[in-house]
C-alpha cells in the first residue's frame, strides 16, 4: 500500500522539502567527494598533529625514547644480514648489506603503514564517536606517522650505504621523489585496509601473513635475478609489483652495481607513478564511500 508523505498545512511542503528549504541534512550523511576533500584539507593541521602525537606516544614508555627510531632499523638490518648474508651466503651480490637494508627499509615503510592503517578506524572508535571530522584523517595520519619513521630510517640507510663504499652521485636525487610516490601509494592502500578493518576485526590477524608473502615476492632479502627462473609471464607480472618497483628505484638511486629485475629506468618511473596515482585515488574514493559507516554499530 502506498504511503503518503506528511505535508505541513501552513506551507504545503513535505517534510523533505521543508528540510531542504532550511538547509537541514540527514545526520551523518556522506558529503560529495569534492566537499569531503575540502573538509579533509581544512583538517590537515589536525592530521599532522595527530600523526606527531602517535609517533611520540609510541616511544614514550621506552627509556631510550625516540632513539629507537634509529635503533630499530639498525637492529633489523643486522639480524637479516646475519641470516641471509652470513648463514645463507648471499654475499655474491655486490655490497649485499646495502642492497639488503635498502630493500628492507623501503618494504618496512609499506608494511608498517598497512598494519597501522588496519586499526586506524577500529582502534579509534572513541575519538570517532566523540568528534566530527573527516574520517580519512585517521588513515592518513597513520601513513604520515610511518613516513616520519621512514625519514629516520633513511638517515641510517645513507650512513650504511656510504660506509660500505658507495659513492655519492647525482642518482641519489631520485630517492626523494621515489619515496613520495611510495607514500601516495601507501596512503591509498592504508585507506582500503582501514575501511575493511572497520568491518572485519580479524583482518589485523591475517594481515601479517599477507605482508610476509608480499615481502618474499618483492626481492627484499635476496637477488631479484632469481625471478628470471620463473616462467616469462610470471617474471613479467612481478615487474609490476608496486613494492618491488619502489625498492628497485631506491636501489638504482643509491647503489652502483645492484642487480635489477627491470633495467628500464623509464618503465620503473612510469609504473611507480601509475601505482601512486591509481592506488592513491582508488583507495581514497573507496574509503570516502564508507564515510557514513565508521563508528556505527
Amino acid at each position: 500500500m502506498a504511503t503518503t508523505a506528511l505535508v505541513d498545512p501552513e506551507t504545503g511542503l513535505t517534510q523533505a522539502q521543508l528540510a531542504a528549504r532550511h538547509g537541514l541534512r540527514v545526520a551523518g550523511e556522506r558529503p560529495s567527494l569534492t566537499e569531503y576533500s575540502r573538509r579533509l584539507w581544512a583538517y590537515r593541521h589536525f592530521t599532522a598533529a595527530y600523526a606527531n602525537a602517535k609517533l611520540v606516544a609510541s616511544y614514550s614508555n621506552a627509556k631510550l625514547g625516540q632513539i629507537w627510531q634509529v635503533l630499530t632499523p639498525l637492529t633489523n638490518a643486522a639480524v637479516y644480514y646475519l641470516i641471509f648474508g652470513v648463514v645463507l651466503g648471499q654475499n655474491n651480490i655486490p655490497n649485499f648489506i646495502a642492497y639488503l637494508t635498502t630493500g628492507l627499509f623501503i618494504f618496512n615503510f609499506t608494511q608498517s603503514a598497512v598494519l597501522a592503517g588496519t586499526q586506524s578506524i577500529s582502534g579509534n572508535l572513541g575519538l570517532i564517536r566523540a568528534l566530527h571530522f573527516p574520517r580519512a584523517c585517521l588513515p592518513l595520519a597513520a601513513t604520515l606517522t610511518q613516513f616520519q619513521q621512514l625519514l629516520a630510517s633513511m638517515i641510517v640507510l645513507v650512513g650504511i650505504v656510504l660506509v660500505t663504499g658507495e659513492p655519492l652521485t647525482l642518482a641519489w636525487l631520485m630517492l626523494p621523489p621515489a619515496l613520495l610516490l611510495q607514500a601516495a601509494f601507501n596512503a591509498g592502500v592504508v585507506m582500503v585496509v582501514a575501511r575493511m578493518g572497520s568491518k572485519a576485526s580479524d583482518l589485523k590477524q591475517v594481515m601479517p601473513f599477507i605482508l610476509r608473502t608480499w615481502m618474499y615476492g618483492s626481492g627484499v632479502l635476496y637477488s631479484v635475478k632469481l625471478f628470471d627462473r620463473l616462467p616469462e609471464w610470471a617474471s613479467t607480472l612481478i615487474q609490476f609489483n608496486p613494492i618491488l618497483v619502489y625498492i628497485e628505484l631506491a636501489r638504482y638511486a643509491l647503489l652502483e652495481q645492484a642487480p635489477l629485475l627491470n633495467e628500464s629506468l623509464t618503465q620503473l618511473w612510469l609504473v611507480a607513478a601509475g601505482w601512486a596515482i591509481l592506488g592513491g585515488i582508488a583507495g581514497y574514493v573507496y574509503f570516502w564511500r564508507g564515510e557514513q559507516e565508521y563508528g556505527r554499530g
Side-chain angles (χ1 to χ4, degrees), residues 26-103:
V26 177
E29 181 185 34
R30 184 184 68 205
S32 68
L33 186 60
T34 302
E35 174 62 19
Y36 188 73
S37 301
R38 186 192 67 78
R39 295 180 188 178
L40 185 61
W41 174 253
Y43 276 85
R44 64 191 182 278
H45 301 299
F46 166 76
T47 304
Y50 187 73
N52 290 333
K54 293 288 286 186
L55 180 63
V56 173
S58 63
Y59 297 105
S60 60
N61 294 326
K63 291 185 177 179
L64 295 179
Q66 296 192 38
I67 295 177
W68 280 108
Q69 290 188 66
V70 176
L71 291 181
T72 299
L74 272 177
T75 304
N76 285 334
V79 170
Y80 281 108
Y81 178 72
L82 176 65
I83 296 173
F84 289 91
V86 178
V87 177
L88 297 181
Q90 289 285 333
N91 282 314
N92 57 319
I93 300 174
N95 197 357
F96 178 69
I97 182 61
Y99 179 90
L100 172 67
T101 50
T102 301

Side-chain angles (χ1 to χ4, degrees), residues 107-165:
F107 178 80
N108 188 65
F109 176 31
T110 295
Q111 175 179 250
S112 300
V114 171
L115 289 175
T118 303
Q119 301 183 69
S120 61
I121 296 297
S122 59
N124 290 287
L125 291 180
L127 181 63
I128 290 172
R129 290 167 179 168
L131 300 174
H132 179 71
F133 60 93
R135 308 315 187 196
C137 290
L138 297 176
L140 289 178
T143 306
L144 183 57
T145 298
Q146 298 307 319
F147 186 74
Q148 290 174 307
Q149 297 223 23
L150 173 71
L151 297 181
S153 298
M154 287 300 101
I155 296 174
V156 176
L157 178 59
V158 166
I160 292 174
V161 169
L162 291 175
V163 167
T164 53

